[in-house]
């Protein structure tokens, strides 16, 4: 799989990862968890590493911790989670719980979720990074209304990662936020690549353009993901799924040639006539 460099360290990350919102908020039954174990196994087999979660996602952190701890490949993953609470003490308690739920002594990336009390929480995250408990510090949001604030923070604060929404139809981040991250040397995680499934409703029953296969695109999910990762500022996109087959389709988007600027424009033209 194609990889991109984390600017602050030079570490390489695969361009397709996994989000856990909704899909990993499940109970303890084998029927609920077996498909997720297969998702994680297939993800590693196809070169993926990044698993993104949050205390906001119900039981997702604990499910990730339970399932990965049972796999011999547990240490291959790049574990990202968030802090989502007001106040220093509450933040410390929530982060401590995340370590326990994920069953990790070190968490690769801790992010301030949706910028909640971000100044306070960033101070805690930086201390944890200095102590070696976490490796990278980040900030996140899921809506374009926060893009300006995200940009201001990465321009004025030492941030390793920024996470935000970006898709082939929701391209507001292209205007300023993506260029700012590239300029400032901040790694970029992309959420909402399928707009919570809305893009699939838009293309239901529609055929891919014949030229898409030239770029290793054999499904609409790959079409949407290839557009995102063809932007040079994007480090990794984190589509969520609980379906092993869909996971494989997503992972394959990180392989083969990427669209150049001319093909990106053709992709947008396809979306305009749907």
């Amino acid at each position: 799989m194609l990889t991109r460099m984390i600017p602050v360290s030079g570490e390489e990350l695969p361009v397709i990862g996994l989000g856990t919102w909704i899909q990993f908020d499940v109970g303890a039954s084998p029927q609920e968890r077996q498909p997720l174990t297969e998702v994680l196994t297939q993800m590693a087999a196809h070169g993926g590493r990044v698993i993104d979660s949050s205390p906001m996602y119900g039981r997702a952190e604990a499910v990730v911790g339970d399932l990965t701890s049972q796999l011999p490949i547990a240490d291959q993953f790049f574990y990202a989670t968030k802090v989502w609470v007001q106040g220093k003490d509450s933040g410390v308690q929530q982060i401590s719980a995340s370590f326990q739920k994920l069953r990790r002594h070190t968490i690769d990336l801790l992010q301030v979720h949706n910028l909640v009390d971000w100044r306070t929480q960033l101070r805690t995250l930086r201390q944890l990074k200095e102590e070696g408990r976490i490796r990278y510090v980040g900030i996140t949001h899921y809506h374009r209304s926060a893009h300006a604030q995200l940009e201001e923070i990465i321009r004025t604060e030492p941030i390793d990662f920024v996470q935000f929404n970006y898709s082939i139809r929701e391209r507001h981040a292209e205007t300023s936020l993506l260029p700012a991250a590239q300029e400032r040397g901040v790694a970029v995680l992309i959420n909402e690549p399928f707009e919570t499934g809305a893009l699939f409703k838009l293309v239901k029953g529609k055929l891919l353009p014949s030229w898409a296969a030239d770029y290793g695109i054999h499904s609409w999910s790959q079409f949407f993901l290839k557009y995102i990762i063809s932007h040079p500022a994007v480090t990794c996109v984190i589509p969520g799924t609980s379906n092993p087959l869909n996971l494989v389709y997503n992972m394959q988007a990180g392989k083969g040639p990427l669209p150049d600027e001319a093909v990106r424009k053709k992709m947008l033209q396809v979306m305009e006539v749907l």
Side-chain angles (χ1 to χ4, degrees):
M1 186 185 292
L2 175 69
T3 62
R4 291 265 169 79
M5 184 179 69
I6 301 172
V8 73
S9 67
E11 179 181 359
E12 298 279 340
L13 282 184
V15 293
I16 309 293
L18 177 68
T20 60
W21 179 55
I22 297 179
Q23 287 91 347
F24 276 67
D25 183 13
V26 301
S29 71
Q31 292 85 352
E32 292 175 289
R33 293 196 171 197
Q34 180 54 41
L36 300 179
T37 298
E38 183 64 18
V39 161
L40 293 168
T41 302
Q42 288 293 331
M43 177 184 174
H46 287 270
R49 289 181 58 212
V50 179
I51 306 171
D52 181 79
S53 195
S54 172
M56 183 185 181
Y57 303 165
R59 294 162 288 189
E61 283 184 312
V63 172
V64 168
D66 290 349
L67 297 184
T68 55
S69 68
Q70 297 167 13
L71 298 174
I73 54 175
D75 291 338
Q76 296 180 22
F77 295 114
F78 182 99
Y79 296 86
T81 192
K82 308 178 184 79
V83 56
W84 181 63
V85 71
Q86 295 276 353
K88 178 180 178 179
D89 291 344
S90 296
V92 169
Q93 292 172 10
Q94 189 175 75
I95 292 167
S96 177
S98 292
F99 274 96
Q100 294 175 12
K101 292 173 183 177
L102 289 170
R103 303 194 185 194
R104 306 304 299 172
H105 296 296
T106 303
I107 292 176
D108 295 292
L109 169 62
L110 252 170
Q111 307 153 97
V112 182
H113 196 151
N114 292 349
L115 298 177
V116 174
D117 197 10
W118 66 269
R119 290 183 176 86
T120 300
Q121 306 309 337
L122 272 183
R123 285 193 291 270
T124 297
L125 297 189
R126 287 173 180 142
Q127 181 178 344
L128 289 170
K129 183 179 178 182
E130 290 178 4
E131 295 170 356
R133 298 294 310 285
I134 66 176
R135 300 176 59 225
Y136 300 105
V137 168
I139 53 175
T140 84
H141 213 284
Y142 70 99
H143 197 272
R144 64 184 293 173
S145 62
H147 287 185
Q149 187 178 9
L150 290 172
E151 180 179 347
E152 180 182 359
I153 294 171
I154 66 173
R155 287 192 179 279
T156 57
E157 300 278 346
I159 301 293
D160 303 326
F161 275 79
V162 59
Q163 179 184 148
F164 50 85
N165 61 306
Y166 175 47
S167 75
I168 195 168
R169 194 171 62 167
E170 174 48 274
R171 302 188 302 277
H172 182 264
E174 291 179 354
T175 305
S176 185
L177 182 52
L178 280 163
Q182 193 169 19
E183 175 189 335
R184 297 292 296 172
V186 179
V188 173
L189 296 185
I190 297 298
N191 59 44
E192 296 288 356
F194 305 139
E195 299 178 20
T196 320
L199 290 181
F200 293 118
K201 295 178 182 177
L202 186 66
V203 300
K204 187 175 181 180
K206 306 291 177 63
L207 295 176
L208 286 165
S210 58
W211 49 261
D214 296 338
Y215 296 89
I217 297 172
H218 303 288
S219 69
W220 281 110
S221 64
Q222 292 166 9
F223 188 90
F224 301 142
L225 293 173
K226 284 268 191 178
Y227 181 85
I228 293 170
I229 63 175
S230 64
H231 194 293
V234 171
T235 309
C236 178
V237 57
I238 47 172
T241 185
S242 58
N243 183 310
L245 181 59
N246 289 343
L247 182 282
V248 172
Y249 286 144
N250 292 346
M251 291 292 115
Q252 289 172 341
K255 303 175 182 180
L258 290 179
D260 59 18
E261 196 57 38
V263 175
R264 280 169 61 87
K265 290 179 181 178
K266 289 175 65 175
M267 297 172 89
L268 295 180
Q269 291 169 358
V270 169
M271 299 302 295
E272 288 171 0
V273 299
L274 288 174

